[in-house]
Amino acid sequence: MVDWLAVKEDEHRFVMYVADPADGVFTDMALHNADLILLVGQAGDDAASRSWERQAFDETNAPVARRALVLWHEQHGDTLHGTAAWLAPRNLDFHLHVRSGIQGDLDRLARIVAGRAVGLVLGGGAARGFAHLGVYRALYESGTPVDWLGGASIGAVMAAGMATGLEPGIVIERARKAFVDGKPFGDVTVPIISFLRGRRMERLIDAHLPGEIEDLPVPFFCVSSNLGNGRVQVHDRGSLPRSLRASVSLPGIFPPAVINGQLSVDGGILDNLPVDLMRARPVGRVIAVDLSSRKDYTVNYDSVPSPWRVLAGRMLPLSTRYRVPSPVALMLMAMSIGAIGSARAAGARADLLVRPPVGGFSFTEVRNFDRVVEVGYREAQKAIAEGWSPPG
């Protein structure tokens, strides 16, 4: 039997072993021959580890293949629930959701098993991140599926919206309601810890992106920066709002977030375009969206004018108007400088890099929402036309 199966593996790209808990000998052989082990569960059933699982994955003779949980949802609404109970008793590399009647979920499973999945990585850039929505729309229209999502800072928030599995039009409208109507950059406070209170951003995230990361229909991760140990934190399980709150906590602008008793700040500080983290996922190709586009910032003065002169220029018709960035914009501009080099290096390791020309847009101005989305859409269309073919 073993020799015959070895011949079949040489003859075919894929060989699927269907293990049987009642046949321990065959199951053991299948598990130790496999490159990927899929455990298929029915959502709503008892999530506890079965006796045959404990026996098959005993540490003394455990198979070395990657393990994934495929959770089937016969009944599903707008959100999924209960995934954490399935993950807790198992040592898994990743998990996937397949919802009854959703062909895209089955297609995603097939692409991941075949090594043809597409990962989308979205970088930080504050309000310039609206361009990510245009890229998502262009990918959707081109027939390019998004099988895994990852992001930093505002890219994390946009990626989480896409991970709901909704069509681009709905994702864009929800983002417009949150950022244009909600004005998360408008709750200025006494700058003891930060310029902005961050409460408005928290409320908007809680309202529009509630729940747990593991319950998202499309696999997702985001990153934040640990202030204590100076390391990148990867969030792929647990509270989605808390993880997003950490990933967007721009130092000095929003207060730090608390994750496991540690202060965490914006993920873009240490990894503004987490392409390498996406490469570690079971994806075949990676698309990255880099918002580190910049333009010359030429000013009409030899030294920075006093606050009174700047104020007079804005209020008095005949006074000179000075081009001076706000303190929040200045901090965002300064932080983005450090991320440019690493983001460009990471982008070079992607299979498709989209760099929307967003340098002319403010980091904090949300009224240009539709224009920024359109810039992302047009740039993605051009990048796709020049060198990209959707997976079959």
Side-chain angles (χ1 to χ4, degrees), residues 182-346:
K183 297 180 174 61
F185 300 111
D187 58 344
V188 179
T189 185
V190 179
I192 297 175
I193 300 175
S194 59
F195 280 101
L196 303 179
R197 295 175 62 198
R199 299 285 180 82
R200 194 175 297 177
M201 178 69 84
E202 283 186 20
R203 288 196 299 269
L204 290 170
I205 290 175
D206 288 340
H208 294 279
L209 294 168
E212 307 297 308
I213 292 176
E214 54 265 34
D215 290 326
L216 288 169
V218 182
F220 164 86
F221 72 88
C222 65
V223 296
S224 65
S225 304
N226 188 301
L227 276 179
N229 58 31
R231 296 176 181 172
V232 173
Q233 296 179 134
V234 181
H235 305 270
D236 54 12
R237 293 189 186 183
S239 169
L240 178 60
R242 183 180 292 271
S243 299
L244 294 177
R245 172 71 177 78
S247 193
V248 300
S249 293
L250 292 156
I253 297 173
F254 291 114
V258 179
I259 302 293
N260 298 324
Q262 301 272 325
L263 293 178
S264 299
V265 294
D266 193 284
I269 300 297
L270 295 178
D271 193 352
N272 199 43
L273 197 63
V275 169
D276 294 335
L277 289 171
M278 182 61 79
R279 285 285 186 200
R281 270 66 185 169
V283 298
R285 292 192 287 177
V286 175
I287 301 171
V289 185
D290 177 16
L291 301 180
S292 60
S293 171
R294 301 187 67 82
K295 69 171 188 175
D296 290 337
Y297 199 89
T298 305
V299 297
N300 59 342
Y301 44 81
D302 295 323
S303 61
V304 178
S306 69
W308 297 111
R309 292 174 64 190
V310 173
L311 187 61
R314 294 175 180 176
M315 299 182 66
L316 303 178
L318 300 180
S319 297
T320 303
R321 186 174 181 85
Y322 296 98
R323 189 186 184 196
V324 180
S326 69
V328 171
L330 187 61
M331 293 181 69
L332 285 166
M333 292 167 65
M335 284 187 290
S336 71
I337 292 174
I340 289 176
S342 61
R344 289 182 178 173

Side-chain angles (χ1 to χ4, degrees), residues 304-391:
V304 178
S306 69
W308 297 111
R309 292 174 64 190
V310 173
L311 187 61
R314 294 175 180 176
M315 299 182 66
L316 303 178
L318 300 180
S319 297
T320 303
R321 186 174 181 85
Y322 296 98
R323 189 186 184 196
V324 180
S326 69
V328 171
L330 187 61
M331 293 181 69
L332 285 166
M333 292 167 65
M335 284 187 290
S336 71
I337 292 174
I340 289 176
S342 61
R344 289 182 178 173
R349 295 190 288 274
D351 297 287
L352 177 67
L353 176 63
V354 183
R355 298 192 66 217
V358 292
F361 295 101
S362 166
F363 281 102
T364 57
E365 181 55 69
V366 299
R367 63 184 174 184
N368 290 318
F369 180 92
D370 291 302
R371 291 178 58 200
V372 179
V373 170
E374 185 67 15
V375 166
Y377 176 68
R378 296 299 179 192
E379 190 65 21
Q381 281 187 317
K382 184 170 70 174
I384 292 168
E386 290 175 352
W388 179 262
S389 59

Side-chain angles (χ1 to χ4, degrees), residues 16 49 78 81 106 109 249 290 329 381:
M16 180 180 291
S49 176
D78 293 338
H81 302 282
L106 283 171
L109 171 61
S249 293
D290 177 16
Q381 281 187 317

